[in-house]
Amino acid sequence: MLSVHDKSGLVDLARGLVDLGWELLSTGGTAAVLLDAGLPVTEVADVTGAPEILEGRVKTLHPAIHGGILADRSDPAHLADLEARGIAPIDLVVANLYPFADWPGVEMIDIGGSAMVRAAAKNHAHVGVVVDPGGYPSLLDELRSGNSLSEITRLALARRAFAHTSSYDASIVAWLDAGLPVTGADYGSATPGLPDTLHLGLERVDELRYGENPHQVGARYRWAVDLTGWWDTARLHGDKAMSYLNVLDTEAAWRLVHELGDEPAAVVVKHTNPCGAAVAGDIGEAWTAAHACDPTSAFGGIVAVNRPLTMAVAGPLSEVFTEVVVAPSYEPDALDTLQARTNLRILEAPPPGPRGLDVRTVDGGLLVQGPDPVDDDVNNWTVVTRREPSETEWLDLAFAWRVVARVTSNAIVLARHRQAVGIGAGQQNRRDAVHLAVEKADGRATGGVCASDAFFPFRDGLDATIGAGVTAVVQPGGSVRDDEVVEAADEAGLAMVFTGRRHFRH
């Protein structure tokens, strides 16, 4: 049985089957291609006695087809049913479904093809099923070697078939979810914005050398329902393959650099945390400022820039051991310079898409939350001190707030002139995060600002930023000791604003 939307390799497969003595049964469009190629084929309507109806919505949904696929050849009762009704067994189903993910819509929801695929996969003890044109050559090779498929092959093909239909159904569910109001409550969801069920159809696209550590396996999967992720259109210059950590850190860097606004920006990331970030008048200045934040941590890091990468970046960057650099494009001389670094992975990529659901594994299931967008509109913030920020401080506060939201908690970012000068990441208490950021700033925070991903529970953390010379602070607020912290800010003549939104990151 041949019924495919993707006709790639179809004629060669059919010709090979005919040469092996197989009889071909097919639906209208597929049959037409085979007839044009001069191959003998019986159309489904001639077997069922029922022509296609409803503009092709019903073609193969008939006992003469599904009986031939589903019959258990080891069950005499099944064989008797086939004989009594004049139904011939169907030993091989070759089918692929309408490309719903490419053109989502009601008419792209395949019913007959999906039913045949599932029927053949269910009866894999007797029937082979092929859903991928890439599998045609190996199918013919095995048939030529023995004119039948092994039990292991049929089992593997059945697994691929059910994975195919599962991903297909997941893409339909995602499309329907997208059409529902975000409230969710009226459709049975107890959590607004999150559906009652998740259907995670993914396909492996990259095998990585190993996982986070050499003793772990690793691979990159993509959503089967969305083939537009930036990773799948990015160009890797050179042969140096990406590792698991390369992918993880590059994702963090590429997203952050695109969250820093429309001006030239650069980010350096290490272990998913920024260790440098800057916005400047040109991309060379931006990278220089980002790298200067923490040159020690930048060793072996990931560099992302949001402008074509020039020699002003490539020259000095080529002197620093860097795992990955990612940019929208490269000047020819800059690319040549970077490619001389044999251990550097060079990515040319489009902007990332919107952040999706955050999914993590827990015992027995998944922990799911929505994305964490950053509201950097200062008009939505509240000044809580006697002094308001200056125009320069407002710019620095908005910049630091964007950066701190992407730092592992507890997180503190010190910045001046839209350059991060000290980043305290991943500390178990906020005071230590402040001390780490101040230490890394090494005097450069004077006249700058501080961003804290969550409130200051005590004034001691704020006092440390005051000691570093900070003149303005942005934080969510919400501590029972907010009054004490604001009072400390007023005593030092600081400007402080509350955003009302926390950005914990774990």
Side-chain angles (χ1 to χ4, degrees):
M1 178 67 185
L2 305 174
S3 180
V4 295
H5 184 274
D6 182 354
K7 308 295 193 295
S8 303
L10 172 66
V11 171
D12 289 340
L13 171 65
R15 184 172 287 113
L17 292 172
V18 169
D19 290 344
L20 289 168
W22 287 68
E23 297 179 16
L24 306 182
L25 175 65
S26 187
T27 52
T30 305
V33 171
L34 299 178
L35 290 170
D36 286 345
L39 294 168
V41 60
T42 301
E43 294 200 40
V44 164
D46 294 333
V47 172
T48 62
E52 295 180 9
I53 61 171
L54 305 180
E55 298 180 318
R57 283 191 174 192
V58 179
K59 305 174 187 175
T60 58
L61 297 172
H62 193 281
I65 303 302
H66 283 270
I69 296 172
L70 283 166
D72 181 350
R73 277 59 157 176
S74 66
D75 187 332
H78 283 207
L79 297 179
D81 279 345
L82 294 184
E83 184 176 1
R85 291 164 175 79
I87 298 173
I90 296 174
D91 297 326
L92 177 66
V93 172
V94 178
N96 53 65
L97 310 181
Y98 298 155
F100 183 88
D102 293 335
W103 299 293
V106 169
E107 292 307 322
M108 284 290 107
I109 299 177
D110 200 320
I111 302 300
S114 182
M116 283 197 301
V117 167
R118 289 174 57 82
K122 172 180 178 176
N123 202 24
H124 63 268
H126 307 285
V127 179
V129 55
V130 183
V131 295
D132 180 7
Y136 295 170
S138 59
L139 172 74
L140 286 175
D141 287 344
E142 183 164 345
L143 290 175
R144 285 168 181 146
S145 67
N147 205 33
S148 63
L149 299 176
S150 70
E151 180 180 354
I152 293 298
T153 296
R154 293 194 306 274
L155 181 63
L157 291 173
R159 191 267 176 204
R160 291 175 194 158
F162 279 122
H164 185 56
T165 57
S166 176
S167 294
Y168 193 81
D169 288 343
S171 68
I172 297 170
V173 172
W175 176 67
L176 293 172
D177 281 344
L180 292 176
V182 177
T183 60
D186 294 338
Y187 299 88
S189 175
T191 307
L194 293 176
D196 257 1
T197 59
L198 286 178
H199 303 269
L200 307 179
L202 299 108
E203 56 188 13
R204 188 177 63 200
V205 291
D206 280 334
E207 293 186 18
L208 306 174
R209 288 182 299 164
Y210 49 77
E212 202 161 4
N213 298 290
H215 62 276
Q216 297 172 267
V217 296
R220 181 175 71 84
Y221 290 75
R222 71 179 175 196
W223 300 112
V225 302
D226 181 6
L227 309 183
T228 60
W230 74 267
W231 281 102
D232 295 302
T233 55
R235 179 183 179 187
L236 179 63
H237 293 278
D239 300 325
K240 188 69 173 177
M242 300 284 288
S243 72
Y244 178 96
L245 289 177
N246 289 155
V247 173
L248 192 64
D249 289 345
T250 302
E251 176 76 8
W254 196 228
R255 285 197 173 277
L256 176 55
V257 81
H258 281 87
E259 292 175 339
L260 294 183
D262 297 329
E263 297 177 74
V267 166
V268 184
V269 162
K270 190 76 168 291
H271 299 306
T272 71
N273 278 292
C275 56
V279 174
D282 63 59
I283 202 61
E285 293 175 0
W287 177 81
T288 300
H291 179 76
C293 175
D294 189 352
T296 301
S297 297
F299 181 86
I302 312 295
V303 170
V305 297
N306 68 350
R307 290 290 192 279
L309 194 142
T310 64
M311 276 301 298
V313 177
L317 178 60
S318 66
E319 301 301 318
V320 180
F321 173 59
T322 302
E323 288 278 352
V324 181
V325 58
V326 55
S329 63
Y330 296 81
E331 290 185 350
D333 289 348
L335 183 59
D336 290 342
T337 299
L338 294 176
Q339 286 184 312
R341 303 289 295 183
T342 56
N343 289 321
L344 176 63
R345 300 156 183 87
I346 305 167
L347 277 175
E348 187 172 329
R355 292 179 182 268
L357 293 180
D358 186 343
V359 180
R360 300 189 184 192
T361 58
V362 293
D363 190 20
L366 298 173
L367 192 63
V368 181
Q369 64 177 348
D372 181 21
V374 179
D375 180 8
D376 57 5
D377 184 350
V378 298
N379 293 313
N380 296 329
W381 299 355
T382 303
V383 178
V384 294
T385 49
R386 289 191 292 268
R387 183 173 78 80
E388 292 200 3
S390 68
E391 184 178 348
T392 298
E393 287 171 336
W394 276 121
L395 290 173
D396 282 346
L397 289 169
F399 166 81
W401 187 241
R402 294 184 192 113
V403 176
V404 80
R406 305 311 179 199
V407 179
T408 303
S409 300
N410 286 304
I412 294 290
V413 170
L414 304 180
R416 185 168 182 265
H417 298 321
R418 292 190 294 175
Q419 174 197 10
V421 295
I423 299 175
Q427 301 303 299
Q428 283 77 17
N429 67 75
R430 194 151 305 278
R431 184 182 61 186
D432 285 351
V434 172
H435 288 319
L436 180 58
V438 169
E439 178 186 349
K440 288 180 177 290
D442 192 23
R444 294 175 295 169
T446 300
V449 306
C450 168
S452 176
D453 66 333
F455 60 67
F456 286 95
F458 305 96
R459 65 170 287 168
D460 55 358
L462 180 67
D463 288 338
T465 70
I466 295 170
V470 163
T471 61
V473 176
V474 58
Q475 59 139 318
S479 168
V480 296
R481 295 182 177 85
D482 274 348
D483 290 345
E484 296 177 20
V485 174
V486 172
E487 182 180 356
D490 279 331
E491 289 173 2
L494 266 66
M496 179 177 286
V497 295
F498 285 180
T499 66
R501 177 178 288 185
R502 188 181 73 186
H503 286 292
F504 269 168
R505 179 170 174 261
H506 293 79

